[in-house]
Amino acid sequence: MFDWIAFDADDTLWKNEETYLQGREVFLQILADYDIEQDDLDRVDEFEVENIQYYGYGVMSFVLSMIEMAIELTGEKIHPGDIRKLLDLAKAMLTAEVEVFDGVRQLLEKISKEYSLMLITKGDLFHQRRKLEASKLADFFQVVEVVSDKTPEVYHEILERHQIDPHRFIMVGNSLRSDIVPVLKLGAWVIYLSDHLTWSHEDDPLAEIIQDRYREVKEISQVLSVVKTLEKLTGIA
Ligand SMILES: [Mg+2]
């Protein structure tokens, strides 16, 4: 039997990327009043990714990137009223309702009876905690880890701290870059949610898929049966 099943949160348990797509739309509407080339507007993603090294992941990073981009692309002519709109956008995103995906609660109710559950999410501590509370899913998790990034080192540290054997640990998530590739590197198991909307930055090619420890499902409701199949196949007891 696996000892621990860990879940990613954003775009795994609840909707997230949709809010960012809407945020980008608002940003583009604001900049539409200025004379900016389409090619420059298409660089939104580039600005965000470049700034991860400074601000990390999350709404604050997203909005600071928008403001920086607005200042740069308008040649410092962006109106303070428009910057205020971006700050309002951030607040709206930070307090948006949390929409849990269908089937998540039912899955967690069943799976938490048999396994210890952990939540591993990256982003702003305050915001991630608020979303977890709003989701009303917090009670299912014995351990909640909010991290700045999801690298093999970060996962290794979490597993060490909780004295978890990677061979008895499964991570479930929608991001190849954050939830799948680094966890496979540690020798643990993964279940990838292939059909959940995901930010393009999180699409890391699976250079070496380690077939026996990698499974793909379209819907989160399939996770429990996959775990059971893996236990049977591998004789993990
Ligand atoms: Mg995610």
Side-chain angles (χ1 to χ4, degrees):
M1 183 161 166
F2 289 105
D3 295 329
W4 284 88
I5 301 179
F7 288 84
D8 166 56
D10 290 339
D11 296 312
T12 290
L13 301 181
W14 54 69
K15 286 185 184 173
N16 173 67
E17 179 59 14
E18 257 184 41
T19 320
Y20 282 82
L21 290 175
Q22 287 160 5
R24 286 186 195 102
E25 278 305 310
V26 172
F27 175 67
L28 293 177
Q29 276 163 20
I30 292 170
L31 287 197
D33 292 340
Y34 297 84
D35 189 21
I36 299 169
E37 303 267 330
Q38 186 60 44
D39 281 359
D40 283 334
L41 291 175
D42 291 342
R43 288 167 56 209
V44 178
D45 242 32
E46 202 184 298
F47 264 81
E48 281 180 63
V49 172
E50 170 65 22
N51 276 334
I52 288 170
Q53 59 179 315
Y54 304 108
Y55 310 133
Y57 292 87
V59 172
M60 255 80 98
S61 172
F62 174 73
V63 170
L64 284 174
S65 298
M66 304 281 113
I67 292 173
E68 183 183 343
M69 187 169 166
I71 292 170
E72 190 172 317
L73 297 186
T74 62
E76 300 187 355
K77 293 203 172 57
I78 182 93
H79 192 279
D82 286 333
I83 291 183
R84 174 181 287 278
K85 283 185 196 162
L86 291 172
L87 295 171
D88 289 343
L89 170 67
K91 287 177 187 162
M93 288 174 76
L94 289 167
T95 53
E97 233 174 84
V98 173
E99 203 178 328
V100 174
F101 288 119
D102 286 345
V104 165
R105 172 166 279 276
Q106 292 86 332
L107 169 76
L108 295 178
E109 271 167 6
K110 269 193 256 166
I111 213 165
S112 63
K113 291 197 174 84
E114 293 183 58
Y115 303 90
S116 299
L117 304 188
M118 186 186 294
L119 188 79
I120 309 179
T121 176
K122 73 176 183 202
D124 299 323
L125 179 62
F126 186 67
H127 188 208
Q128 299 308 91
R129 290 257 172 208
R130 197 198 70 79
K131 282 188 281 188
L132 178 59
E133 197 178 318
S135 74
K136 301 196 166 60
L137 300 174
D139 288 348
F140 292 115
F141 298 97
Q142 265 104 321
V143 169
V144 174
E145 298 280 351
V146 182
V147 297
S148 314
D149 206 353
K150 286 177 162 178
T151 60
E153 293 73 26
V154 168
Y155 282 106
H156 177 73
E157 190 278 322
I158 292 172
L159 266 59
E160 284 269 301
R161 184 153 37 83
H162 296 288
Q163 298 180 317
I164 298 169
D165 176 354
H167 299 105
R168 300 171 70 92
F169 174 90
I170 305 184
M171 178 76 193
V172 181
N174 71 300
S175 163
L176 291 171
R177 172 191 289 265
S178 297
D179 308 318
I180 304 301
V181 174
V183 177
L184 281 174
K185 282 187 182 153
L186 295 187
W189 301 72
V190 294
I191 299 177
Y192 172 52
L193 293 164
S194 58
D195 270 15
H196 283 209
L197 187 63
T198 301
W199 183 25
S200 55
H201 172 65
E202 298 291 341
D203 277 336
D204 224 16
L206 269 178
E208 307 160 46
I209 297 180
I210 303 159
Q211 293 289 349
D212 61 342
R213 289 188 282 108
Y214 172 91
R215 288 293 182 281
E216 202 172 300
V217 296
K218 289 201 188 308
E219 289 178 22
I220 195 155
S221 57
Q222 299 167 279
V223 165
L224 183 55
S225 66
V226 170
V227 171
K228 293 290 175 197
T229 311
L230 284 176
E231 285 183 336
K232 264 190 216 139
L233 275 177
T234 59
I236 289 182

